[in-house]
Amino acid sequence: MNREVILKVDNVSCSYGQVRAISEVTLEVRAGELVTLVGANGAGKSSLLRCISGVQPTNGGSIHFNGENLKGKSAASRLIAGISQVPEGRLVFADLSVEDNLLLGAYRATKSARRAAFDRVFALFPILHERRTQLAGSFSGGQQQMLALGRALMSSPQLLLLDEPSMGISPIVTQQIFEILDSLCASGVTILLVEQNATAALVLADRAYVIESGRIVLSGDGPALLNDPRVREAYLHG
Ligand code: ATP
């Protein structure tokens, strides 16, 4: 595959006070790829996604998106540029309806772009259409994950950052969500996926990076890493 690099993370570090969360991380994502970042609890996966979406400041290194240096750009301007994040824990607004949660993802769009975004999201997730007037708080974890994903898609992103979409949801719903990610990717959305469910993520991914204690320690094709003894021992439980 020889597609254009759309995201380039070069030697990026970030800290919370004295706690160094990621150290000199370098990775790239090409247009149309699904790349996964695998690592244990506390390895720095969420921090890296947050640095890319701009909600966490970096202290060192650079991040380029479509060739543009993101230094100094707010999370809002990165969203406008085409980077959309589904945060860990989903963070949907329980007291708002499905439609209103989705609207928050498209607050800058024109009326016709919003209509088109609703149509796309409802086609991907018919359950959200069926329950569009209901409050998000009445949803199961899996449905909330679909809503969070739908909300992130309302801005028609070029790059989707996904933080642990399988957390707290059943294997069947996880499988459904992963199938949707696969079809999103086939439709041209580029995905950087953080997952603790390493097997499922590596099966799906074009390429993967393994992060340990804030540093990238391995990278390669998804299927190759799935068979790598170091990955099997540390993350795949046998
Ligand atoms: P998890 O899967 O548990 O979310 P992770 O791989 O996403 O783990 P991070 O959440 O990025 O890892 O955490 C990386 C390091 O930064 C850990 O040592 C963590 O304790 C620390 N850390 C994360 N968030 C904060 C914070 N708000 N304040 C202080 N330290 C933090």
Side-chain angles (χ1 to χ4, degrees):
M1 201 186 315
N2 197 15
R3 300 174 183 154
E4 186 190 348
V5 173
I6 62 165
L7 176 73
K8 184 147 185 44
V9 174
D10 207 6
N11 262 306
V12 163
S13 302
C14 88
S15 305
Y16 303 92
Q18 299 299 312
V19 180
R20 174 61 75 95
I22 59 170
S23 300
E24 294 159 11
V25 165
T26 293
L27 60 78
E28 62 182 34
V29 180
R30 293 176 176 270
E33 276 191 316
L34 194 157
V35 173
T36 189
L37 189 62
V38 171
N41 269 340
K45 305 179 298 298
S46 301
S47 300
L48 178 56
L49 290 194
R50 290 158 53 80
C51 288
I52 297 167
S53 64
V55 291
Q56 169 66 33
T58 56
N59 48 13
S62 65
I63 303 175
H64 285 78
F65 181 61
N66 285 325
E68 187 188 357
N69 192 337
L70 295 181
K71 191 172 175 58
K73 295 214 174 296
S74 66
S77 62
R78 294 180 198 205
L79 179 66
I80 294 165
I83 301 176
S84 188
Q85 181 170 11
V86 183
E88 186 173 1
R90 308 184 270 274
L91 308 184
V92 298
F93 294 91
D95 296 335
L96 294 183
S97 69
V98 166
E99 271 175 336
D100 286 344
N101 267 281
L102 291 176
L103 268 177
L104 289 171
Y107 72 101
R108 288 186 57 96
T110 60
K111 206 170 169 189
S112 64
R114 237 176 8 234
R115 195 62 264 159
F118 267 121
D119 288 348
R120 272 197 316 275
V121 169
F122 286 151
L124 272 177
F125 301 106
I127 183 87
L128 297 184
H129 184 254
E130 279 163 33
R131 303 189 61 178
R132 62 192 178 281
T133 58
Q134 296 180 18
L135 297 185
S138 68
F139 275 30
S140 67
Q143 290 164 345
Q144 289 191 9
Q145 185 61 57
M146 291 181 192
L147 179 54
L149 184 51
R151 183 180 58 194
L153 291 171
M154 288 294 286
S155 61
S156 303
Q158 188 184 3
L159 174 65
L160 191 59
L161 306 174
L162 273 161
D163 200 344
E164 305 271 9
S166 74
M167 186 188 276
I169 61 178
S170 72
I172 291 177
V173 179
T174 299
Q175 188 54 38
Q176 284 171 2
I177 287 176
F178 277 31
E179 280 164 17
I180 285 166
L181 297 185
D182 203 25
S183 69
L184 274 176
C185 210
S187 74
V189 180
T190 305
I191 297 176
L192 179 56
L193 167 70
V194 157
E195 255 302 335
Q196 286 209 14
N197 185 342
T199 308
L202 290 172
V203 166
L204 197 65
D206 296 303
R207 290 188 306 108
Y209 292 87
V210 178
I211 184 166
E212 277 175 13
S213 306
R215 292 182 184 275
I216 302 290
V217 293
L218 269 178
S219 64
D221 290 351
L225 284 187
L226 196 55
N227 292 313
D228 187 296
R230 292 164 292 181
V231 175
R232 296 198 74 83
E233 192 184 334
Y235 303 106
L236 303 183
H237 312 295

